[in-house]
Amino acid sequence: MADERAPSILESIRAFSENASPLDFMVILEHWDLFAEGLWMTTNLVVLSLLIGGCLSIPLAVARANRTPILNQIIWGYVYVFRGTPLLVQLYLIYYGLGQFEAVRDSALWPILRDPWWCALIAFTLNTAAYTTEIFRGGIEAVPVGEVEAAKACGMPRLKRLQRVILPSAFRRVLPAYSNEVIFMLHGSVVASTVTIVDILGAGRELNAKYYLAYEGFIAAAILYMILVYFISRGFKFWEKKWFAHLRPREDADAEAQAGATAPQTALVR
Amino acid sequence: MRLAKLTLAVAAAALAMGISLAQAAEPLRIGVEGAYPPFSWKEADGTLKGFDIDIAMALCDRMGRECELVEQDWDGIIPALLARKYDAIIASMSITEERKKRVDFTKKYYNTPARFVATADTSLDPTPEGMKGKTVGTQRGTIHQCYMEKVFPDTELRLYGTQEEVFLDLQAGRIDASISDSTQANDGFLKTDQGEGYAFLGGVQYLQECHGEGAGIAVRKGEEDLIAAFNKAIQEIRADGTYQQINDKYFDFDVYGATE
C-alpha cells in the first residue's frame, strides 16, 4: 500500500510545483547535482584566489607601506589598474583577449590560458590581491609608532619586528575590512559564469535557459550565495573573537569588576 | 469661447475613446537578439540588421501595426516575453515541445538544419563515439544544447551566452567543434575572414525531439489573435514576394525549407 501511494504523493507535489506554485521548486530540487557542482566550483575558485591573492598582497603591502623606491610605484600602478577596472573586463581581457594572439596560443602558457577555470583563477587572484594590498597597507600604516619603537628598543631586527609586531597588529586592525573583501570576492565570482564556467550562477542560468523559467535558477543561486555569506560572516566573527580576545572584558573578571577595579571600556580604546 | 467649447468636445471625445485609442496607438514590441548573423546582428552604430529583423518589419507592415524592436540576450529571451517586456519573439527560435510548455508559436518562418563546424583539417569523427571526451561549444538554452545532451552525452559541452562567443573560442582552440544552425554558421562565420581554415564537420544533425519543425514566432500563451495575425502575415509575405526579396538579400537558397 505504502509503495503504491508514495509515487502518487510525489506526482501531486510535482504537479503542484509545476502548475500552482509561483516557483517551480521541484525543478530546482531535481537539479541539485547541477547546483552542487556550481557550489563546488564557486567555492574552490574563491578560496584559492583569496589564499593566493592574500599571500601575494602581504609583501606588496609591506613594500607600499615602507615606500620602497620604484617597487612602490610599480605596485601602485598594479593596484590602480586592478581596482580601476571591473572584474568582468579583467576576465574578458584574459579569457577572450589573450586568446586572440597567436603568440599566446603557441606559447607554453596556452594549456593554462586555454582553460576557463585557470583564466578565472588568474583574474580573481590578481583582483583580490590588488584590493587586499590596499587594505593591508592601511593596516600597516596605522600601527602606532610606539609599538614599533618599543620593538626597536627591544633590539628586534626588521623582519622579526614585522613578523612579531607590525603584521599581527595590522591583521587585527584590517579584519573587518577584509571580511568585506571576502564577501565582495564571492559575489564578484559570478562573472565566471560568463566564460562557460558552471559556478553557482552558471548553474542557475543553465536551469533557466533549459526550462525557459525566469526566476527558479536565480532564486536557487541567491539562496546558495546567502548561505555561503552566512558561513563567511560567522567565520569572521569567530576569528575576531579569537584575535580580539585580549580586548574583551574577561568573563572570570566579574568579581573584579564588581569590586570596581577595572573599567573595561578604557581597554577598548587603543 | 468657441475654441474652449471645441477643446472641451475634443477632450470629451478623446476621453470616451481613450482606452481604444491607447490600444491602437501602442506599438507591438518585438524581442530580437542581435548576435546571430546573418539572422540578426548589430551594426557599429547600434542599429539592428538581419533576416529576422527584416522579416519582423515586413510582418508588422503587413499587419498594419507599428513595431518597436527590443534587444534581449538569448538567455532571458523567453522569460522577458513572459514578463511582458515585449509581445513576440522573432529571433530564429525553433519551435520545440519544451518551449511550447511556456509559449505559443506561429507557423515556421524558416527552417535550416544544424551542423558541426571545426577546423578544415580536423580528424574528428562526428559520431557519439568519435566525439567522446572532445569539447563542443554551443549557445546555452538552444536546440543544439538539447541535441548534444541527448545524442552526445559523453562529449564535454561548453555553453555560451551567444553563438559569436562560441566561434571566438573555436578560433582560440578552446573547443574542438561548434554546433549551431548551418546557415548561421556558414554566413556568420565560415564565409567571413575569421572562418578561414574552418569547415562544416559531417552532415545534418537532427533529432525531432530537440530540433522541432523550424523557427517560429513566439508569443505568450493564449494570444490567439496575435498568432492568427502573424500566421496570416507570414502567408501574405510568402505569397506577394516580400519574403523572397528578403530571402535573396541574405541567402542564395530558400531558407523557408520544404513547404508542408
Side-chain angles (χ1 to χ4, degrees):
Chain A
M1 273 302 271
D3 281 342
E4 276 168 34
R5 285 196 56 184
S8 77
I9 290 172
L10 194 66
E11 285 297 290
S12 59
I13 293 177
R14 188 166 288 139
F16 167 76
S17 169
E18 229 175 81
N19 306 316
S21 161
L23 194 77
D24 192 352
F25 52 87
M26 285 305 283
V27 170
I28 302 173
L29 292 180
E30 273 162 17
H31 287 79
W32 69 272
D33 54 331
L34 185 65
F35 284 100
E37 189 193 332
L39 184 64
W40 164 242
M41 188 55 86
T42 294
T43 319
N44 76 42
L45 271 176
V46 171
V47 168
L48 280 177
S49 60
L50 284 171
L51 279 178
I52 306 171
C55 291
L56 278 177
S57 69
I58 295 170
L60 298 184
V62 171
R64 280 276 284 143
N66 286 348
R67 305 266 187 280
T68 315
I70 305 167
L71 217 52
N72 182 26
Q73 280 77 24
I74 295 174
I75 299 167
W76 179 87
Y78 156 71
V79 168
Y80 182 74
V81 167
F82 278 86
R83 291 205 312 171
T85 54
L87 182 56
L88 182 64
V89 175
Q90 292 159 20
L91 181 59
Y92 271 16
L93 283 176
I94 293 173
Y95 187 83
Y96 286 117
L98 288 180
Q100 298 278 296
F101 300 108
E102 208 145 315
V104 176
R105 291 212 295 274
D106 292 338
S107 76
L109 280 174
W110 186 239
I112 287 178
L113 291 173
R114 184 180 194 272
D115 190 337
W117 185 85
W118 277 103
C119 290
L121 184 71
I122 293 168
F124 293 179
T125 302
L126 291 175
N127 185 276
T128 186
Y131 279 94
T132 313
T133 298
E134 277 310 276
I135 295 173
F136 281 171
R137 182 189 61 87
I140 292 169
E141 283 175 355
V143 173
V145 191
E147 285 183 21
V148 185
E149 271 174 359
K152 273 185 194 160
C154 291
M156 283 190 203
R158 272 182 84 113
L159 266 179
K160 201 131 257 169
R161 230 157 47 216
L162 207 61
Q163 178 201 341
R164 288 203 179 151
V165 180
I166 299 173
L167 286 182
S169 174
F171 283 159
R172 237 175 253 143
R173 213 176 304 277
V174 304
L175 206 54
Y178 187 64
S179 75
N180 274 339
E181 165 58 18
V182 170
I183 291 171
F184 285 149
M185 197 57 230
L186 173 70
H187 292 336
S189 75
V190 297
V191 303
S193 72
T194 61
V195 292
T196 75
I197 294 175
V198 183
D199 68 344
I200 295 175
L201 180 65
R205 289 169 90 149
E206 213 175 306
L207 193 76
N208 283 9
K210 209 165 177 174
Y211 296 98
Y212 314 108
L213 296 168
Y215 310 110
E216 279 72 358
F218 295 144
I219 285 180
I223 290 169
L224 283 176
Y225 283 113
M226 281 200 282
I227 291 171
L228 283 182
V229 168
Y230 174 79
F231 284 114
I232 291 171
S233 45
R234 279 300 290 266
F236 273 96
K237 269 266 148 56
F238 173 79
W239 207 352
E240 273 174 36
K241 243 187 195 157
K242 208 172 149 190
W243 273 10
F244 291 109
H246 63 292
L247 295 181
R248 265 185 306 131
R250 277 161 47 192
E251 273 147 35
D252 60 2
D254 273 3
E256 266 178 74
Q258 262 165 13
T262 51
Q265 282 84 351
T266 55
L268 282 167
V269 181
R270 287 159 45 90
Chain B
M1 198 52 198
R2 189 182 276 172
L3 188 70
K5 249 185 196 159
L6 188 69
T7 322
L8 213 69
V10 169
L15 212 70
M17 293 171 61
I19 296 160
S20 60
L21 257 181
Q23 262 171 356
E26 198 153 289
L28 188 64
R29 291 164 306 162
I30 311 262
V32 297
E33 193 198 359
Y36 202 63
F39 293 102
S40 73
W41 77 88
K42 236 171 135 174
E43 286 287 316
D45 63 1
T47 52
L48 288 155
K49 288 268 166 67
F51 179 79
D52 282 343
I53 313 295
D54 286 0
I55 288 286
M57 286 316 185
L59 293 176
C60 289
D61 214 31
R62 255 311 124 177
M63 290 155 66
R65 292 199 63 171
E66 196 189 324
C67 281
E68 189 182 300
L69 296 179
V70 181
E71 215 185 320
Q72 166 69 43
D73 285 345
W74 181 258
D75 259 10
I77 208 159
I78 288 184
L81 172 74
L82 301 180
R84 297 179 178 274
K85 303 277 187 245
Y86 38 76
D87 310 302
I89 298 169
I90 303 185
S92 298
M93 181 174 281
S94 298
I95 304 163
T96 64
E97 289 308 313
E98 193 65 47
R99 286 179 184 140
K100 277 185 192 163
K101 287 185 193 163
R102 309 277 170 204
V103 297
D104 282 343
F105 281 98
T106 61
K107 295 219 160 57
K108 70 160 181 175
Y109 67 94
Y110 80 84
N111 188 11
T112 51
R115 289 179 80 180
F116 285 113
V117 169
T119 46
D121 55 4
T122 186
S123 57
L124 271 180
D125 170 25
T127 60
E129 299 78 53
M131 299 288 268
K132 206 171 183 171
K134 300 292 175 192
T135 310
V136 171
T138 198
Q139 198 177 359
R140 190 187 293 123
T142 55
I143 51 176
H144 314 296
Q145 180 186 352
C146 168
Y147 180 75
M148 288 305 292
E149 285 171 353
K150 293 248 154 65
V151 183
F152 290 79
D154 298 323
T155 304
E156 194 195 323
L157 187 63
R158 293 249 177 98
L159 298 172
Y160 297 79
T162 68
Q163 184 59 35
E164 287 173 343
E165 289 170 339
V166 183
F167 288 130
L168 268 179
D169 261 9
L170 181 65
Q171 286 176 75
R174 284 195 179 101
I175 51 178
D176 297 306
S178 148
I179 183 165
S180 63
D181 182 271
S182 55
T183 308
Q184 195 277 331
N186 195 38
D187 293 42
F189 178 64
L190 293 177
K191 275 190 188 166
T192 65
D193 295 342
Q194 282 81 34
E196 208 174 309
Y198 294 86
F200 281 120
L201 170 68
V204 168
Q205 308 291 327
Y206 184 81
L207 184 70
Q208 166 68 33
E209 185 189 347
C210 288
H211 290 108
E213 60 225 78
I217 299 165
V219 303
R220 282 182 292 274
K221 281 200 166 289
E223 306 237 5
E224 309 294 339
D225 296 348
L226 192 54
I227 290 201
F230 270 126
N231 277 337
K232 186 163 162 267
I234 293 173
Q235 238 169 21
E236 282 170 10
I237 61 166
R238 288 280 303 162
D240 75 357
T242 315
Y243 186 98
Q244 194 61 42
Q245 225 177 327
I246 297 170
N247 185 102
D248 295 348
K249 190 167 150 196
Y250 297 98
F251 312 105
D252 46 18
F253 61 96
D254 183 16
V255 286
Y256 190 76
T259 16
E260 67 262 48

